[in-house]
Amino acid sequence: MANRPITSGFSPAVATWYGSPNGAGSGGACGFANDVANPPYNGLISAGNQNIFKHGQGCGNCYQVKCTENPACSGFPIVVTVTDECPGTCNNEAFHFDLSGKAFGYLAKLGQADKLRNAGRINIQYQRVPCKYNTGITFKIDTGSNANYLAFSIEFVGGDGDIGSVELLPSKPKGSLYMQKSWGCTWKVGIPVGTNGPYSVKLTTIESRSTIIATNAIPGNWSPGKYYHSAANFS
C-alpha cells in the first residue's frame, strides 16, 4: 500500500497499548532500541500494523492521533512516531496503532489516563503529519560494523520521517557508495579498500523525494555503537 499523504485529514483506526502503563514502548523492529524513552521521542511512539509499518518503510513516520468516543478521551491530538511493528491480530483492522502506555494515556482527559488505559482497545482518528524534531539527524553505528562493512540506523528525520535511499560519500576517493536497507531504519554498505572518511551521507525521503546531505556526519575514526549527530535535517 502506498504511503498515506501527509496532512490528508483524519481517518478512523483502532488503538491499543502495550508495556507498562507509563512505559515508553519499544524501537525494536525499526532499530531505535531504547532511544524511544529519550528526547525527542519521549515515549510518544507507536507500533503499527502492516499498513503503517510497511515492512519497515513506515519507520520514522509521524502521525497525529486522537480519540473522542470514550468518555475519558480528551479529543485533543498528540503526535507519535512509528518505531516498531505490531504483527498478528493487529492486521485484523486496516489501520491499528499499538501505542506505548505513555502515549495511550496522553489521549485521555487530565486525571483519566488509567481509566482510558483500562478500556484496552479504543477507536481513534489519525492522520499523517510532518515530523518536527529540535535536533539534527542522528546516525547510530551498528555494533557489527568494521573496517570493511558499515551499517547504521538513522533517527530523528524531519519532514517525511522516512528514508527511501542512502548514499555514503567518502572523503577519498570522491564518489558515492549506495547503501542497502538491512532492516527497519538500518542501512549497510561494504567499504572498499582505500576508502577514507569523514563520510557525508546523502538521504532521500520516500514520500516527497526530498534530498539532503549531512556533511561529514560520520568521522573517519567512527566506532561501532557510537552515535553521530548532524546539524542537517529536513524542514
Side-chain angles (χ1 to χ4, degrees):
M1 179 172 289
N3 273 11
R4 184 174 176 78
I6 294 179
T7 59
S8 59
F10 282 98
S11 297
V14 167
T16 50
W17 64 279
Y18 69 101
S20 62
N22 292 298
S26 168
C30 290
F32 299 158
N34 295 325
D35 298 343
V36 296
N38 305 317
Y41 298 129
N42 294 310
L44 296 180
I45 59 91
S46 181
N49 70 352
Q50 199 48 245
N51 285 338
I52 299 167
F53 183 72
K54 307 185 193 85
H55 301 286
Q57 285 193 334
C59 288
N61 285 164
C62 294
Y63 291 89
Q64 275 190 336
V65 293
K66 64 179 180 178
C67 70
T68 57
E69 295 183 17
N70 189 291
C73 291
S74 72
F76 295 106
I78 65 170
V79 176
V80 295
T81 302
V82 175
T83 64
D84 207 348
E85 180 182 12
C86 185
T89 57
C90 283
N91 291 296
N92 291 344
E93 296 85 32
F95 293 92
H96 187 128
F97 292 83
D98 196 24
L99 301 166
S100 69
K102 181 177 181 179
F104 199 94
Y106 270 46
L107 296 174
K109 295 174 182 175
L110 187 65
Q112 297 194 41
D114 286 337
K115 182 178 179 181
L116 186 62
R117 280 190 287 259
N118 285 339
R121 173 190 172 96
I122 59 175
N123 294 324
I124 62 168
Q125 294 84 49
Y126 79 101
Q127 68 171 344
R128 190 157 161 228
V129 295
C131 296
K132 297 180 181 179
Y133 300 115
N134 294 319
T135 186
I137 295 171
T138 293
F139 303 92
K140 181 172 62 177
I141 307 298
D142 189 86
T143 54
S145 297
N146 56 56
N148 303 309
Y149 167 83
L150 177 60
F152 50 74
S153 61
I154 305 171
E155 297 191 49
F156 316 142
V157 178
D160 292 359
D162 51 33
I163 295 295
S165 65
V166 181
E167 298 173 47
L168 191 68
L169 309 176
S171 296
K172 294 180 181 179
K174 296 296 184 182
S176 295
L177 299 175
Y178 290 87
M179 304 188 75
Q180 294 180 317
K181 177 170 278 194
S182 179
W183 61 279
C185 278
T186 298
W187 295 75
K188 63 181 181 180
V189 69
I191 303 296
V193 175
T195 302
N196 297 299
Y199 298 94
S200 298
V201 186
K202 182 178 180 180
L203 308 170
T204 303
T205 67
I206 296 173
E207 183 72 29
S208 64
R209 302 298 298 171
S210 298
T211 298
I212 197 170
I213 295 178
T215 303
N216 296 333
I218 300 174
N221 61 343
W222 56 265
S223 297
K226 292 287 188 179
Y227 292 71
Y228 297 103
H229 306 281
S230 169
N233 212 329
F234 296 92
S235 58

